[in-house]
Amino acid sequence: MVTAPPPAAGDTIVAVATAAGRGGVGILRLSGAMAFAVAHALTGAPLPAPRQAALRTFHDADGAALDQGLLLCFRAPASFTGEDVVELQGHGSAAALDALLRAACVHGARVARPGEFSERAFVNGKLDLAQAEAIIDLVDAGSARAAKAAFQSLEGRFSTRITALAEALVAARVFIEGALDFSDQDVDWLADADLHARLAALDEDLQHLSADAQRGRALQQGLTVVLSGAPNVGKSTLLNQLAGVDAAIVTDVPGTTRDLLREHLTLDGLPVTLIDTAGLRDTEDAIEAEGIRRAWAAIEQADLVWFLVDDRQGMSADDAALLTRLGPDRPCWRLANKVDLSGGVVGWRPGGDPPTLGLAAKAGQGVADLVAALHRHAGLNASDEPLFTARTRHIDALRRAAAHLRLARTQLADQAFAELAAEELRLAHDALGEITGRFSQEDLLGRIFAGFCIGK
Ligand SMILES: Nc1nc2c(ncn2[C@@H]2O[C@H](COP(=O)(O)OP(=O)(O)OP(=O)(O)O)[C@@H](O)[C@H]2O)c(=O)[nH]1
Ligand SMILES: [Mg+2]
């Protein structure tokens, strides 16, 4: 048994770590210099040895018995936050947990901000930033696959690759700076083929990591797919088919859908936000025109557009004009719908540009091909082992690192620019450092941790 230490100065935080509402178990978590003292005050009994559970009665601010449960203590630095941490595991009563929280505050703790436990773990070097973000990805995971990928990130799989690349960049920079120091000697170190090969290999590694990170982001954040096309081609029918419910109104009247309708789906483990839109056509109707304006706005934000046509008519001149308006950079598939009426085949049609799939949305024919293709589009093949999860800010940092590395390689071709090349390598290294949090500004940290839940 450890006796509670006298209250120490310092900021001790407390939060209910379990989800709001009723539950079998509810956990109150404390972290900070006074965590043990507050736990002692809440239980009125000696604390158990660190990492050993003990049954205790929990008291409210007036000292009245409130609940009973397990008490667990973790002594700094061997804890999640690196500080003294206590967990009180009582019953999952929102009222009892709230009273316990208030009692903890009376005894000297303060209510934690969202993500503050993880932020402290980061500040105390228990996790890097990418690992801390993986915690929230794990909490938010919409599928077992996304959860496994987030766990890989939490275990440091992404961070290890970032760190290895960052170290290689430093080594290359040190080599170049060293070569510049000895540039009066006969040997031209900067022309060393090995250096150029090393930088080329680093560039390639960075590309692979970027591709993996993009897959990780798709798994975690999912894809936004917009259903588009002329009126009455079956957009809402396809949305309902994929959602498995009658979310959108379907009629045979062209112009049925006006507003955007968003459905958040998990299609074989892939999170997808599917947006149904108003059929695109010229119209005098002010409401429909506003719907069409919104449809185009949604298309501009889409990761992928599914452009539906009625297979009986094939591509009309209007369809062709709409596809042109989509632009060449927006990934788009043509879905030739109602093959049950046209007599067309279900499945991918060879040589289509854009890629073309025959389907009958109403009966669900071809929908499995569509979902499988979506997985391929996101780079997620069913047989792949789980990757790590990644976020847009990581991909952005990787892109900047790659741009600096490429500039460094170009500049290195001319010895006069070698110093600039070294500087570009430093910038590439710093961009990678933003991912793990080695070079992050306060405001970025604030924004990242604010996205966490309270008690995490
Ligand atoms: N036979 C057949 N009918 C279909 C199929 N898909 C949709 N339809 C019918 O086509 C009509 C229009 O379907 P919707 O899903 O409302 O079409 P939409 O593209 O959303 O139309 P708007 O909202 O007006 O732009 C309805 O009567 C559907 O039942 C299909 O695969 N086969
Ligand atoms: Mg519709």
Side-chain angles (χ1 to χ4, degrees):
M1 296 276 193
V2 215
T3 47
D11 202 8
T12 296
I13 53 173
V14 63
V16 176
T18 36
R22 298 168 74 232
V25 175
I27 299 178
L28 192 82
R29 200 184 211 192
L30 288 148
S31 178
M34 283 178 61
F36 288 3
V38 173
H40 184 241
L42 289 174
T43 57
L47 302 184
R51 297 168 173 272
Q52 285 187 20
L55 188 65
R56 290 286 182 272
T57 301
F58 306 148
H59 303 266
D60 68 11
D62 300 325
L66 185 68
D67 192 10
Q68 189 183 50
L70 294 182
L71 183 72
L72 265 170
C73 301
F74 301 86
R75 188 177 290 287
S79 72
F80 172 67
T81 60
E83 303 174 331
D84 283 348
V85 168
V86 174
E87 282 190 12
L88 290 91
Q89 307 186 351
H91 295 95
S93 147
L97 283 166
D98 189 49
L100 210 53
L101 181 84
R102 275 186 281 124
C105 292
V106 167
H107 294 306
R110 72 156 169 82
V111 176
R113 295 190 308 271
E116 202 171 356
F117 289 87
S118 303
E119 187 174 356
R120 288 184 176 204
F122 167 67
V123 169
N124 292 325
K126 289 279 169 179
L127 302 164
D128 68 31
L129 203 49
Q131 287 175 302
E133 288 170 312
I135 294 176
I136 203 67
D137 293 346
L138 183 53
V139 171
D140 287 342
S143 67
R145 197 164 180 206
K148 283 182 200 160
F151 184 65
Q152 296 287 340
S153 286
L154 181 54
E155 289 277 277
R157 187 157 161 190
F158 185 31
S159 305
T160 308
R161 285 177 66 182
I162 294 286
T163 308
L165 269 172
E167 281 170 3
L169 284 170
V170 170
R173 195 181 89 218
V174 167
F175 183 89
I176 293 170
E177 283 171 353
L180 282 168
D181 287 344
F182 293 99
S183 54
D184 50 345
Q185 297 189 359
D186 289 344
V187 189
D188 183 2
W189 295 103
L190 291 174
D192 184 358
D194 189 43
L195 171 64
H196 293 266
R198 261 163 63 196
L199 291 180
L202 269 179
D203 207 346
E204 204 170 306
D205 285 352
L206 208 45
Q207 301 312 321
H208 285 150
L209 189 55
S210 271
D212 287 350
Q214 279 176 39
R215 284 200 283 273
R217 179 178 60 169
L219 196 56
Q220 198 259 323
Q221 297 183 342
L223 296 173
T224 300
V225 180
V226 169
L227 289 156
S228 178
N232 220 33
V233 289
K235 300 179 292 297
S236 303
T237 304
L238 181 57
L239 176 105
N240 289 348
Q241 183 63 247
L242 285 164
V245 289
D246 274 342
I249 300 171
V250 168
T251 73
D252 56 7
V253 181
T256 298
T257 304
R258 300 291 179 95
D259 247 336
L260 300 182
L261 182 67
R262 283 188 176 77
E263 282 290 306
H264 300 285
L265 310 173
T266 302
L267 300 176
D268 288 349
L270 176 66
V272 176
T273 302
L274 195 56
I275 306 181
D276 187 17
T277 63
L280 303 170
R281 64 172 169 182
D282 289 332
T283 175
E284 299 290 307
D285 182 320
I287 302 170
E288 191 179 4
E290 174 58 18
I292 291 170
R293 193 194 62 74
R294 290 178 186 212
W296 280 110
I299 286 169
E300 265 150 39
Q301 302 296 318
D303 294 311
L304 176 67
V305 175
W306 286 346
F307 190 84
L308 275 81
V309 295
D310 186 326
D311 198 41
R312 286 172 297 182
Q313 280 102 49
M315 282 282 285
S316 66
D318 283 351
D319 287 335
L322 289 170
L323 269 183
T324 310
R325 188 170 162 194
L326 279 183
D329 296 334
R330 182 80 44 205
C332 172
W333 301 345
R334 182 168 51 192
L335 305 184
N337 191 30
K338 309 193 188 183
V339 293
D340 53 317
L341 301 179
S342 70
V345 284
V346 173
W348 290 98
R349 297 181 182 169
D353 181 25
T356 302
L357 176 76
L359 84 165
K362 198 169 170 180
Q365 290 174 297
V367 168
D369 301 81
L370 192 57
V371 173
L374 201 56
H375 276 248
R376 285 196 299 277
H377 181 74
L380 299 169
N381 297 318
S383 55
D384 284 350
E385 56 176 321
L387 299 145
F388 49 83
T389 45
R391 298 172 166 221
T392 304
R393 80 164 192 97
H394 302 150
I395 288 159
D396 177 53
L398 286 167
R399 200 171 291 140
R400 278 183 287 121
H404 288 302
L405 175 56
R406 219 149 300 143
L407 261 179
R409 291 181 62 197
T410 317
Q411 281 158 344
L412 214 54
D414 185 338
Q415 195 169 347
F417 297 127
E419 229 162 293
L420 292 177
E423 176 60 10
E424 290 299 338
L425 290 182
R426 191 185 64 74
L427 292 170
H429 176 260
D430 288 1
L432 292 184
E434 284 175 27
I435 296 175
T436 49
R438 290 184 68 143
F439 297 98
S440 297
Q441 300 123 6
E442 289 272 316
D443 63 329
L444 172 70
L445 295 182
R447 265 183 282 134
I448 289 172
F449 288 109
F452 280 48
C453 32
I454 292 186
K456 199 62 235 173

